[in-house]
Amino acid sequence: MRLKFYEKKDDHLIERYTITEEQLRYTMSPKECIELVKQDNNRHAILVLDEDKLVTFFVLHEKEGVRPYSSNEQAILIRAFSTDFYEQGKGYAKAALQLLPDFVLAHFPTINELVLGVNLPNTAAQSLYKKCGFVDEGRLVTGLRAKIKVMSYYLS
């Protein structure tokens, strides 16, 4: 399994990615995210591949994207994290989160904190993030649909 930056040649993978209405209650689709990435140099679409299959997708957002979640200038925000509907329950999300610290340190050497927001009702995601080393320091922000719990992972 590997993480890579989205490139135009990956569009066929994005087209095949399945995300359900239930998932869209908590996240954005990769197609929507890529449109935003194309307009903002501080957003980076990340593909998680198992061989040639796109299994998980998320965006790393630098600078102003982080501000609602952290005052740390050296933090990067993980947003729109999802796993293809047909690939859920296979450990891909956990594996992606375990690969992420080294990926970030390699490509964003000044970053010392990964931060994310997770909807309060999404307890399954909160549990996954905790298992992967993210900490809940009691910060809440108001999202589009609900209160969002802020969680951080500190890079050493």
Side-chain angles (χ1 to χ4, degrees):
M1 218 179 89
R2 66 189 174 98
L3 277 59
K4 75 178 284 290
F5 290 100
Y6 162 81
E7 300 169 81
K8 179 84 176 113
K9 68 179 184 183
D10 298 318
D11 283 346
H12 70 285
L13 298 171
I14 301 297
E15 287 299 321
R16 285 192 232 134
Y17 193 88
T18 304
I19 190 161
T20 65
E21 289 300 319
E22 176 66 21
Q23 287 172 287
L24 291 170
R25 287 178 50 210
Y26 298 124
T27 192
M28 287 176 67
S29 75
K31 284 181 194 173
E32 290 175 288
C33 290
I34 286 167
E35 288 309 309
L36 293 171
V37 164
K38 289 175 181 175
Q39 300 165 27
D40 184 349
N41 291 333
N42 292 320
R43 290 179 190 245
H44 312 278
I46 308 299
L47 310 185
V48 183
L49 301 174
D50 183 8
E51 295 184 19
D52 293 333
K53 184 171 43 175
L54 175 59
V55 293
T56 296
F57 175 92
F58 59 93
V59 172
L60 292 175
H61 197 170
E62 300 177 87
K63 300 181 174 53
E64 71 278 346
V66 179
R67 289 201 182 97
Y69 302 90
S70 174
S71 59
N72 179 1
E73 296 287 325
Q74 292 177 284
I76 197 164
L77 177 67
I78 303 165
R79 62 184 332 146
F81 192 94
S82 70
T83 296
D84 183 293
F85 176 75
Y86 295 108
E87 304 300 335
Q88 289 185 335
K90 298 178 183 177
Y92 289 125
K94 183 177 181 183
L97 290 167
Q98 290 169 334
L99 291 171
L100 187 55
D102 287 339
F103 181 86
V104 168
L105 287 170
H107 296 283
F108 303 92
T110 62
I111 296 299
N112 64 16
E113 178 186 3
L114 308 176
V115 65
L116 57 80
V118 58
N119 290 279
L120 281 181
N122 195 350
T123 55
Q126 291 172 40
S127 174
L128 169 68
Y129 298 137
K130 277 186 188 143
K131 284 180 194 159
C132 292
F134 284 80
V135 292
D136 172 7
E137 295 172 332
R139 294 189 321 261
L140 292 176
V141 296
T142 303
L144 294 174
R145 298 179 189 95
K147 286 277 187 198
I148 294 174
K149 179 181 290 199
V150 177
M151 298 179 80
S152 294
Y153 181 103
Y154 295 96
L155 302 170
S156 46

